[in-house]
Amino acid sequence: MNNGLSRRSLLSLGAGAVAASTLAACGGGGGDAGGEISKDAVKLRFTWWGSDARHKRTQQAIDLFTKKYPNITISGEFKEWNGYWDSLATTVAANDAPDIIQMDELYLASYAERGALLDLGTAAKHLKTDGIDPAALDTGKVDGKQYAVPTGVAAYSMVVNTTLLEQYKIPVPDDSTWTWDDLKRIGLEVSKASGGKVTGVQSWGFDAGGVNIWARQAGATLYDASGKVSIPPAVLAGYWQYLLDLAKQGIAPAPSVTVERAGASLDQSGTATNTSAFGTWWNTQLTSLSAASGQQLKLLKLPTNGQAAAAESPYYKPSMFWSISSRSKHPAEAALFVDFLLNTTEAGEVLLTDRGVPSNSTVRSAITGKLADTDKAAAEYLATLKVGAAPRVTPNGASGIEAILKRHTEEVLFERRTPQAAAESFIKELQTEIDAA
Amino acid sequence: MSALGFVRKRDDKAAYLFLLPWFAGLVLITAGPVAASFVLGFTDYNLIQPPRFNGLENVTRMLGDDRLHHALGVTFTYVLISVPLQLAAALGLAMLLDRGMRGLAFYRSAFYLPSLLGSSVAIAVLWRQIFGAEGLFNQFLNLFGLTGRGWISDPDTALSTLIVLNVWTFGAPMVIFLAGLRQIPVMYYEAAQVDGAGKFTQFRRITLPLLSPIIFFNLVLQIIHAFQSFTQAFVVSGGTGGPSDSTMFYTLYLYQRGFHNFDMGYASALAWLLLIIIAAFTALNFWAAKKWVFYDD
Amino acid sequence: MTDLKERVTPVPITVEAAPVRRRGRSLAKHAGLGLLTLVMLYPVLWMVVSSLRPNNVIFRSPGLILDGLETRNYGEGWNALASPFGHYLVNSAIVVLGCIIGNLVSCSMAAYAFARLDFTGRKLWFAVMLGTIMLPIHVLIVPQYIAFSNLGWINTFLPLIVPKLLATDAFFVFLMVQFIRGLPKELDEAARIDGAGHPRIFAQVILPLMLPALATTTIFTFIWTWNDFFSQLIYLTDPDMYTVPVALRSFVDATVSTSWGSMFAMSVVSLLPIFLAFLIGQRYLVKGIATTGIK
């Protein structure tokens, strides 16, 4: 008897603790997003991830805004990528999330579908989106609602080191016609010409962009509209077979070197250290890469497989998004601030292309004159690219796709799994995560 | 031991007075979150929405979770190899650096310096300077005409580099050993010398028994610490536990489930399994301690 | 033990047979230790050297040879974030100081009770204490955050310092317990016969004797708090309150070019206080029983 009683009281103690967290999770809704802008003092919290250069620019933009609206103060909370998501998850769990949240495509659905983000449609009075390319704007929709607005867009590209090619007397390929086989051939020439010091290609297989493009070139998609993993195993196996070939034929570095560089920062990559002639990157990373490399880098369109579907396989990837917490007490003011960041040339001239080529076309043309040459090249690349419809937003539960992808790529490169087996395992694991969410 | 055998009365009142801050901390700070994590272990909790009870689902899930079993294997390997190595290095150097040599302060500080880096982000970059493809270790191998590889990023060797990293930061147990050695009265050694005991006898008969509470402390804590090892693997592998899960420590896996996959209910259940494992090891340690740890009471 | 004590007379340190052989051995010892030091310190040296290189050549130049001295990183790193780096150093110092005081006072009190007092439930509470360090922080942080948030403590140093004042750092309690149990018991029994109560025995007999343990606690609390990233990241949301580890990490973003030079420079700067703390602290470490006059 005694035992039963103590067990029950223990249970109620635990229940109390859970009740506390439950309370926190559903307590207090947000303010009125469509209301008037307050004349009283308003305090907003704004959080983002990035490096010190971004922190500086963003703070400048905040200062411009608060000068315009002296009753609004904004505290800018900057974090690095990993800590950012730990901190965001914790604050959301405790119902203490910042008002304005920089959001990534991988996590958008995970937060939106669980009700953590404000439907920006309700804040349309303060946050205008008509200056934004509809195709780009659509990337911020989950279940038909606009939960996030892209800050800027980027596209997948092949970065080539023309200084190296010149040095080895290899012509720069024509990117309007080249195929994956061409890349292998040219890459091998580079590896041979350098005597192994420089490899032709820096292997990829660690970010979702590459898989997306590969699937689209084959006329498939990574996820279907309902959020199921829909890439055919054979297509995915072909992707890994290609990477394995690159490593085995000496076109890309040895697996351990490839994995080492993939895990390091941009500055330590093969492209940045001039040890690989070709590498896949988002076009907006050209400036950072050029600064690190010190040599001539150029953006090329990705090679294709020659199939018809490949023509429209490129797509605009939102660099990142602005979103607002659904529990913000001042959603109207938060929306006003996002509008300022997004749609004013004032802010655009400070932020430039730090968060991608601006998605607002007026801002984009206004800042072109202020851009560095490499940023101009990135903007031009985007303008000349023929893009198809954006892929479906990463489904709720699939935010860990890059970790799963990376692990399978490593298993293929170290030949612990065949490309075929890896493809099946990858699809199964990713689908399980989506189903569990 | 005591020559004065007076009757001790129980010191309950004094004890609870001395323990007052600790009890306050236990009740006010520790108990709530611990209880919450226990209850959350029986829920499906994605951090954003309220938790939902799912009974023993998390437990049955553990049984079939291959990556969890793999993480357990990695963690056990790490604990069983790195703890003895690190303690041996720490004790050996502590004795060497205890007394009677010039420049002791310098060496002590130098050996401690790596431990100061702690969980700094710089560790990831620095470790690559040693065990990366172009690192110091490969340059050393080159001298003998051998070609290395990226030791950190090869699944066959990645765990070993983390073990070396752990041994490299032996500063903390070394300092505790040093402090312990200093507590041994010099007179014991002096007396032993008078009796003609050699260095080895002195070590076996004086140092080991008198240092045993400290050795025991280091052993218990380093085992607990190693089971919870997180930061170094996190920093070196960029949070992934890679390559190919070869450095997927238990806590890292738990963290990934909780924060990256919004799976905090399962993560809480995992934490309690870890607690049971660590508690078992600690209990074993305390049981074994009766045979070899010498207290003056 | 008492007979040992009686036998203690000043004994001349026995001189080994041949002084030449001895010097040779000592030289070999220094050479060995020197080499070991060099290998162990290589990564640290590399960091110092890199902090003196222009940002864009750090990963393109191997080894430790410097082409020139680039001190710009220090100035740029100091001013790279929202506040000058000194601001974060001060914040860290405040947290560290609070934690040191907390750990020294509360852990030594708890340790005295566990080591020397005979009370009901001693074994049970000791097990509970050890149990509290067996759960990983990652599952405790969310409920803890909710609790502190209800108290309005988020974005203050309180969630970092108050737990230390309440002896939640079981590591140090256990450490001090082991040290106290290593002290000869005759000492406090003698004091007790003289009529001293527990507070006096604790303050006047035990505390002075456990100076090495207190020094160890101070050094470790300093270093670990100075380096602790996770809880400081979670509890300090406003950059004004950021501490050194949180600030240091915000230099790095893997997807863009990072100011590695500035990051390394500030890492070196933030290493200095803990290195100094260690240099000073280690002098107290070696002031054990051997030198405090207890013979």
Side-chain angles (χ1 to χ4, degrees):
Chain A
M1 285 303 107
N2 222 343
N3 239 344
L5 196 73
S6 74
R7 203 181 302 140
R8 203 174 310 145
S9 55
L10 193 76
L11 215 68
S12 71
L13 177 81
V18 172
S21 52
T22 310
L23 215 72
C26 48
D32 176 15
E36 292 303 316
I37 298 298
S38 171
K39 296 266 182 290
D40 304 331
V42 169
K43 243 191 101 107
L44 294 177
R45 288 166 58 208
F46 167 28
T47 187
W48 68 87
W49 72 84
S51 68
D52 57 324
R54 177 175 300 158
H55 308 330
K56 273 234 158 90
R57 289 181 192 281
T58 314
Q59 191 56 48
Q60 282 172 26
I62 293 175
D63 293 344
L64 286 176
F65 178 80
T66 48
K67 209 182 270 169
K68 234 167 144 178
Y69 300 93
N71 64 318
I72 302 177
T73 47
I74 295 174
S75 107
E77 305 175 354
F78 49 82
K79 304 263 156 82
E80 52 83 45
W81 171 266
N82 273 315
Y84 180 84
W85 297 106
D86 297 348
S87 169
L88 184 64
T90 309
T91 52
V92 169
N95 194 17
D96 190 27
D99 301 274
I100 301 123
I101 301 167
Q102 180 173 311
M103 184 49 68
D104 186 78
E105 199 273 330
L106 288 173
Y107 288 92
L108 176 58
S110 295
Y111 278 94
E113 284 185 20
R114 290 170 177 146
L117 302 181
L118 180 76
D119 173 6
L120 298 177
T122 63
K125 188 170 157 194
H126 307 294
L127 173 52
K128 305 274 179 258
T129 51
D130 42 6
I132 305 197
D133 177 45
L137 195 59
D138 277 350
T139 59
K141 281 190 179 153
V142 177
D143 293 339
K145 284 186 187 159
Q146 193 83 46
Y147 283 108
V149 201
T151 61
V153 290
Y156 220 56
S157 64
M158 185 67 75
V159 173
V160 55
N161 185 325
T162 52
T163 311
L164 283 178
L165 288 194
E166 210 168 293
Q167 191 183 327
Y168 303 129
K169 307 204 167 46
I170 297 169
V172 177
D174 173 7
D175 68 347
S176 58
T177 56
W178 71 332
T179 64
W180 294 107
D181 287 336
D182 293 332
L183 177 65
K184 266 189 190 166
R185 183 175 45 76
I186 302 166
L188 192 59
E189 284 175 36
V190 174
S191 292
K192 280 193 175 143
S194 75
K197 236 175 58 222
V198 173
T199 61
V201 179
Q202 165 185 278
S203 206
W204 56 95
F206 305 95
D207 71 351
V211 182
N212 260 310
I213 296 273
W214 189 273
R216 290 161 68 96
Q217 287 198 353
T221 53
L222 181 53
Y223 310 106
D224 66 14
S226 68
K228 270 184 89 73
V229 183
S230 58
I231 184 170
V235 172
L236 194 53
Y239 175 75
W240 274 316
Q241 186 60 52
Y242 189 85
L243 294 188
L244 190 59
D245 291 348
L246 289 184
K248 283 194 150 172
Q249 295 166 19
I251 304 167
S256 70
V257 177
T258 292
V259 172
E260 179 178 318
R261 288 188 185 150
S265 71
L266 174 143
D267 313 70
Q268 299 159 69
S269 62
T271 308
T273 53
N274 305 321
T275 46
S276 287
F278 292 90
T280 54
W281 294 93
W282 297 101
N283 68 324
T284 43
Q285 292 174 309
L286 181 67
T287 301
S288 291
L289 287 168
S290 302
S293 127
Q295 299 192 352
Q296 278 298 317
L297 304 182
K298 189 171 185 277
L299 292 170
L300 298 182
K301 293 188 186 100
L302 285 188
T304 69
N305 52 13
Q307 290 177 27
E312 291 206 345
S313 61
Y315 65 95
Y316 288 145
K317 184 219 178 233
S319 317
M320 50 202 86
F321 297 98
W322 297 128
S323 58
I324 297 175
S325 162
S326 61
R327 314 232 172 78
S328 168
K329 293 203 175 61
H330 307 288
E333 290 79 5
L336 185 72
F337 177 60
V338 171
D339 184 76
F340 174 80
L341 292 176
L342 198 65
N343 296 327
T344 64
T345 33
E346 251 179 299
E349 280 174 354
V350 172
L351 299 171
L352 296 177
T353 55
D354 178 62
R355 288 186 174 86
V357 179
S359 51
N360 180 312
S361 45
T362 322
V363 175
R364 192 187 303 188
S365 41
I367 64 164
T368 312
K370 296 191 91 180
L371 295 183
D373 286 346
T374 46
D375 282 330
K376 269 186 203 154
E380 259 165 47
Y381 175 81
L382 211 58
T384 57
L385 200 64
K386 195 170 170 228
V387 294
R392 185 206 191 279
V393 65
T394 301
N396 182 7
S399 53
I401 178 185
E402 296 200 337
I404 303 175
L405 180 70
K406 177 177 187 295
R407 178 153 37 88
H408 283 87
T409 298
E410 284 159 356
E411 287 179 352
V412 169
L413 288 179
F414 288 105
E415 298 186 68
R416 299 185 157 198
R417 265 187 223 259
T418 63
Q420 188 62 35
E424 276 154 21
S425 154
F426 172 86
I427 292 168
K428 189 167 153 241
E429 190 174 335
L430 187 58
Q431 188 61 51
T432 311
E433 294 290 351
I434 295 171
D435 292 342
Chain B
M1 284 309 274
S2 166
L4 320 138
F6 64 79
V7 182
R8 255 199 246 140
K9 69 172 195 275
R10 290 175 81 82
D11 322 288
D12 282 13
K13 232 170 91 184
Y16 287 113
L17 214 65
F18 273 99
L19 283 174
L20 198 63
W22 180 75
F23 272 120
L26 184 68
V27 174
L28 299 176
I29 304 215
T30 315
V34 168
S37 78
F38 182 77
V39 176
L40 287 174
F42 298 98
T43 67
D44 179 8
Y45 179 40
N46 63 25
L47 287 170
I48 303 173
Q49 290 160 318
R52 210 169 35 78
F53 273 100
N54 65 359
L56 292 178
E57 222 173 89
N58 289 332
V59 179
T60 47
R61 193 173 146 197
M62 282 182 205
L63 297 175
D65 186 344
D66 291 341
R67 290 187 72 206
L68 170 66
H69 305 156
H70 174 75
L72 273 171
V74 170
T75 308
F76 270 98
T77 313
Y78 177 77
V79 170
L80 294 180
I81 298 178
S82 88
V83 171
L85 278 181
Q86 195 202 33
L87 287 185
L91 180 58
L93 280 161
M95 292 189 38
L96 201 61
L97 300 180
D98 182 28
R99 49 192 128 199
M101 205 178 83
R102 270 166 206 267
L104 279 184
F106 168 76
Y107 288 124
R108 270 200 292 263
S109 310
F111 288 154
Y112 199 81
L113 201 51
S115 310
L116 292 180
L117 289 173
S119 52
S120 161
V121 263
I123 280 276
V125 179
L126 300 184
W127 211 233
R128 222 168 278 134
Q129 298 312 312
I130 293 199
F131 286 115
E134 271 119 49
L136 195 64
F137 189 57
N138 278 351
Q139 286 169 24
F140 175 74
L141 289 182
N142 282 343
L143 294 181
F144 303 95
L146 299 165
T147 28
R149 49 183 151 178
W151 301 92
I152 297 173
S153 46
D154 189 314
D156 290 333
T157 53
L159 185 60
S160 311
T161 67
L162 283 184
I163 291 174
V164 176
L165 179 59
N166 189 49
V167 176
W168 183 58
T169 53
F170 60 74
M174 178 185 84
V175 164
I176 295 172
F177 278 137
L178 269 172
L181 285 172
R182 281 295 148 149
Q183 247 197 350
I184 302 174
V186 186
M187 59 188 185
Y188 292 174
Y189 294 103
E190 291 165 352
Q193 275 187 0
V194 171
D195 289 352
K199 282 253 150 100
F200 181 72
T201 315
Q202 287 179 31
F203 173 73
R204 215 163 50 91
R205 289 285 169 82
I206 302 174
T207 312
L208 267 190
L210 288 183
L211 198 61
S212 62
I214 304 304
I215 298 176
F216 174 64
F217 168 83
N218 269 332
L219 185 68
V220 170
L221 264 301
Q222 290 306 324
I223 287 180
I224 295 180
H225 187 73
F227 267 114
Q228 294 185 341
S229 192
F230 173 82
T231 312
Q232 292 170 340
F234 179 85
V235 173
V236 171
S237 74
T240 63
S244 152
D245 271 356
S246 56
T247 60
M248 181 57 88
F249 287 148
Y250 193 97
T251 328
L252 189 51
Y253 182 60
L254 172 159
Y255 158 83
Q256 285 192 356
R257 291 313 315 172
F259 281 98
H260 292 181
N261 299 87
F262 299 93
D263 204 357
M264 196 48 96
Y266 188 53
S268 302
L270 289 177
W272 278 85
L273 175 63
L274 181 65
L275 178 124
I276 293 170
I277 295 172
I278 297 179
F281 265 80
T282 309
L284 193 71
N285 252 325
F286 269 86
W287 173 78
K290 287 184 193 137
K291 306 226 171 1
W292 66 274
V293 180
F294 168 84
Y295 292 109
D296 192 12
D297 56 23
Chain C
M1 223 168 255
T2 21
D3 57 347
L4 258 181
K5 210 179 280 178
E6 275 157 16
R7 251 196 265 154
V8 174
T9 38
V11 178
I13 295 162
T14 38
V15 182
E16 280 178 45
V20 180
R21 210 181 100 210
R22 198 164 166 231
R23 198 195 284 160
R25 264 177 60 186
S26 147
L27 216 71
K29 202 163 151 188
H30 277 290
L33 281 172
L35 193 70
L36 190 62
T37 313
L38 205 67
V39 172
M40 284 197 60
L41 288 191
Y42 179 81
V44 183
L45 295 175
W46 188 87
M47 181 168 86
V48 176
V49 166
S50 294
S51 76
L52 296 166
R53 274 179 177 150
N55 202 38
N56 55 350
V57 304
I58 288 176
F59 293 110
R60 281 189 267 143
S61 31
L64 296 177
I65 315 292
L66 274 170
D67 298 330
L69 278 188
E70 179 83 16
T71 49
R72 249 182 40 205
N73 288 328
Y74 283 83
E76 281 176 7
W78 188 268
N79 291 311
L81 302 174
S83 314
F85 205 79
H87 186 85
Y88 308 118
L89 290 169
V90 170
N91 282 347
S92 271
I94 296 171
V95 176
V96 162
L97 198 68
C99 291
I100 289 179
I101 294 172
N103 273 345
L104 283 181
V105 174
S106 65
C107 294
S108 62
M109 282 170 67
Y112 178 72
F114 280 125
R116 280 295 202 254
L117 301 181
D118 180 18
F119 60 100
T120 346
R122 176 164 111 165
K123 280 195 169 152
L124 173 76
W125 291 122
F126 191 76
V128 169
M129 181 200 68
L130 273 186
T132 59
I133 47 176
M134 292 177 192
L135 276 178
I137 172 90
H138 306 105
V139 297
L140 301 175
I141 195 91
V142 171
Q144 230 173 47
Y145 186 97
I146 293 172
F148 286 132
S149 163
N150 287 335
L151 290 172
W153 284 8
I154 300 306
N155 218 9
T156 70
F157 298 138
L158 293 175
L160 304 171
I161 296 175
V162 172
K164 310 284 171 182
L165 287 168
L166 299 180
T168 50
D169 223 331
F171 178 91
F172 295 112
V173 180
F174 188 22
L175 174 75
M176 291 186 198
V177 166
Q178 293 305 90
F179 268 90
I180 295 175
R181 290 185 75 176
L183 294 175
K185 218 159 190 188
E186 299 93 277
L187 297 168
D188 27 334
E189 272 162 10
R192 206 185 287 216
I193 286 169
D194 289 349
H198 286 299
R200 243 185 75 195
I201 298 178
F202 171 64
Q204 294 183 353
V205 180
I206 301 292
L207 274 188
L209 285 181
M210 56 187 285
L211 198 64
L214 297 177
T216 311
T217 302
T218 308
I219 294 176
F220 284 177
T221 308
F222 196 133
I223 293 164
W224 292 345
T225 312
W226 192 263
N227 283 333
D228 171 40
F229 169 69
F230 194 63
S231 56
Q232 298 181 7
L233 165 93
I234 298 286
Y235 288 122
L236 306 175
T237 53
D238 185 339
D240 249 3
M241 304 297 285
Y242 281 6
T243 50
V244 168
V246 184
L248 268 184
R249 296 230 182 175
S250 35
F251 279 99
V252 182
D253 188 306
T255 58
V256 295
S257 193
T258 294
S259 324
W260 288 103
S262 305
M263 204 278 275
F264 288 136
M266 288 308 103
S267 294
V268 172
V269 167
S270 66
L271 213 55
L272 285 179
I274 34 178
F275 190 57
L276 282 180
F278 182 81
L279 273 185
I280 297 165
Q282 60 122 8
R283 289 175 42 219
Y284 293 92
L285 279 183
V286 295
K287 276 195 187 152
I289 246 182
T291 46
T292 43
I294 309 288
K295 283 214 163 178

